[in-house]
Amino acid sequence: MKVAVVGAGPAGVRAVAQLVSAGLRPVWIDEARDGGGRIYQRPPAGFTRTPKALYGLEGGRAAALHATLDALKPQVDWRPETLVWNIQAGRLDTIRDGEVGEVLFDAAILCTGAMDRVIPFPGWTLPGVTAMGAAQIALKAQGCAIGRRVAFVGSGPLLWLVAYQYMKAGAGVAAVIDTTPWHGKLHALGGLRDGAATLAKGAWYVARLRAAGIFVREGATPLAIEGEGGVTGLRWRDAAGAEHRLACDAVAIGWGVRPESQLADLAGVPMRFDVPSHLWVPERDAAGRTAVPGIYLAGDGAGIGGADVAELAGARGALALLEDAGQPADAALARLIDRRLRAQARFRAALDRAFPFPARLAAAMPDETILCRCEAVRAGELRQAARADVATGAAPEVNRAKAFTRIGMGRCQGRICGAAAAEVLADALGCSVAQVGRLRGQAPVKPLPMPASAP
């Protein structure tokens, strides 16, 4: 039986561990130089910082995952630095070092992870502005900060985690500007008991930042990042409506993360709009099975849950694959994982209530804001196209808007701008974001070099 696993983060590692223990030798593919995923990003060889210094409270988990990863490599067909850029029935199209190839499979587990969800606002295209995850990768993988005085803007657990990691590393943290009001988090507190350990870690990060005297504001609204050729400051409005300016030379922005679900989309997995998380997610059952035979999903690529859920879901997806193939599978372990996943789902629902996606912030972005940075499409241009569509009686649909404005046609294929564009379009058309749909996946899922050749 030919099995392929795409992704070597927490979900991929645990999926492969189950497959290997069942006597299989899967093809294991990861785009990075080494595994670990984004949350447990491994530093380059020769990097001397300890796991505790790199990952803080997650140091032990990271070290354990890396040890498992290294032990599994000799037992699989390990293919790092390999991009899966397309998926067809029983075949993955890949590229490594400029050479394209293919991997044939009978079953595949897609553990494709997540990427930052950002809301464009004036100045976000300036040099010195990064997504929250990019700021974290710079610290973990390269041992450097994105600036000397960094402002962290957004919402969700990742905002506080990255700000804490920067502070702990000795980098300059200018401020943490959280768009979620404190009372909203307080109302969701009771539902967070299913993730008590995670909640405690989050509270620790917040407490340490405040104890260090870091400037923190909640319920705030970012207005603009200022500068000419680089960041010089951040304008924002507090919960009472007063405007302020903060001096900084870099800004990290992020409102949580969204699934990297392009491969699932190309494989034909149906997608649905998840109202609590305000995200399009691929449909699958609790074990990771999809409506497409032989395709299984695990980790954040199937729906945002975090590293703990990813590890559980990776193992569960592998057990489902083994069961469906008539191979021995540990039924008791599957039941245990199912119970833990149900508890984590309750915790995730509470997190979504505590840190709701600020859709209005996206919908209300000024007309002059560059919405699609690849094609330099401004929010006002999208609104103008929407009004023209209304005049013709056309159905509201984001792919139609793409055809008229080129939004989402650039290098990122809408992975950065697509969600925010849908919010702007829905607001302009007076309908729900679910009604305007999502930008359809296209191959290649990421840019390929022009001289790419067959081996």
Side-chain angles (χ1 to χ4, degrees):
M1 182 181 185
K2 299 175 183 175
V3 178
V5 177
V6 180
V13 170
R14 299 308 174 194
V16 169
Q18 289 297 323
L19 296 173
V20 168
S21 68
L24 299 181
R25 183 182 173 85
V27 178
W28 195 8
I29 305 169
D30 196 83
E31 188 178 348
R33 182 182 295 111
D34 205 345
R38 290 294 175 258
I39 187 67
Y40 299 132
Q41 177 102 24
R42 283 185 113 163
F47 210 69
T48 57
R49 295 184 72 201
T50 65
K52 183 177 180 181
L54 274 174
Y55 309 105
L57 297 176
E58 298 296 319
R61 292 286 296 275
L65 191 85
H66 294 161
T68 302
L69 169 72
D70 291 338
L72 289 170
K73 288 175 184 175
Q75 305 177 71
V76 302
D77 183 352
W78 169 240
R79 303 189 187 186
E81 296 183 283
T82 301
L83 169 67
V84 178
W85 58 270
N86 188 27
I87 183 171
Q88 303 177 51
R91 190 183 90 190
L92 301 173
D93 294 314
T94 66
I95 185 169
R96 181 180 185 183
D97 293 332
E99 292 190 351
V100 296
E102 66 178 27
V103 173
L104 303 180
F105 66 86
D106 300 308
I109 305 178
L110 305 181
C111 309
T112 47
M115 65 175 293
D116 292 271
R117 178 161 57 166
V118 302
I119 298 174
F121 61 99
W124 78 294
T125 59
L126 282 169
V129 183
T130 75
M132 206 68 64
Q136 189 182 49
I137 289 169
L139 194 65
K140 289 179 182 176
Q142 299 163 346
C144 65
I146 61 171
R148 291 182 174 86
R149 279 182 51 81
V150 184
F152 295 88
V153 181
S155 184
L158 189 61
L159 168 73
W160 297 95
L161 171 61
V162 180
Y164 168 78
Q165 289 173 332
Y166 263 60
M167 181 198 73
K168 191 172 183 297
V173 178
V176 178
I177 306 296
D178 188 345
T179 59
T180 305
W182 165 249
H183 60 79
K185 302 171 194 174
L186 189 62
H187 288 161
L189 193 59
L192 297 173
R193 61 182 179 275
D194 287 300
T198 302
L199 177 61
K201 283 186 285 191
W204 168 261
Y205 299 142
V206 174
R208 295 301 300 166
L209 285 162
R210 290 185 180 278
I214 301 298
F215 183 82
V216 172
R217 286 295 182 272
E218 296 171 272
T221 301
L223 300 175
I225 300 169
E226 299 177 330
E228 293 289 338
V231 176
T232 58
L234 170 73
R235 280 197 303 112
W236 59 282
R237 182 188 303 120
D238 64 26
E243 291 192 13
H244 308 268
R245 184 184 185 278
L246 173 77
C248 58
D249 65 354
V251 180
I253 62 175
W255 283 265
V257 292
R258 52 165 292 274
E260 285 273 51
S261 55
Q262 305 96 289
L263 288 180
D265 193 9
L266 291 177
V269 177
M271 307 287 284
R272 65 178 179 85
F273 186 73
D274 182 66
V275 174
S277 65
H278 217 73
L279 289 167
W280 287 95
V281 297
E283 294 184 0
R284 84 286 186 202
D285 69 11
R289 297 180 179 91
T290 73
V292 181
I295 300 295
Y296 301 80
L297 306 178
D300 282 348
I304 304 305
D308 292 350
V309 171
E311 290 195 49
L312 292 168
R316 188 65 183 91
L319 290 170
L321 184 157
L322 293 169
E323 180 185 345
D324 295 347
Q327 301 269 358
D330 190 334
L333 177 59
R335 289 193 295 272
L336 174 63
I337 292 174
D338 286 342
R339 287 197 298 272
R340 291 179 175 174
L341 284 173
R342 284 193 292 270
Q344 287 288 344
R346 292 192 295 269
F347 175 66
R348 186 70 221 181
L351 271 183
D352 287 335
R353 292 193 297 272
F355 299 99
F357 179 68
R360 287 303 309 166
L361 183 60
M365 71 177 70
D367 278 346
E368 67 272 14
T369 306
I370 292 179
L371 176 53
C372 172
R373 62 189 305 166
C374 297
E375 296 293 322
V377 180
R378 298 181 184 273
E381 295 174 67
L382 181 58
R383 292 186 177 109
Q384 185 176 359
R387 287 192 291 269
D389 254 8
V390 169
T392 63
E397 212 279 318
V398 70
N399 290 284
R400 181 176 172 85
K402 174 182 177 179
F404 282 99
T405 65
R406 293 192 59 82
I407 196 159
M409 285 191 181
R411 287 173 58 86
C412 87
Q413 294 195 356
R415 291 161 64 233
I416 299 293
C417 66
E423 299 291 349
V424 172
L425 187 61
D427 182 70
L429 295 172
C431 64
S432 73
V433 69
Q435 285 178 280
V436 303
R438 60 185 178 84
L439 293 174
R440 291 185 290 267
Q442 303 284 344
V445 298
K446 293 183 182 178
L448 300 181
M450 288 295 290
S453 60

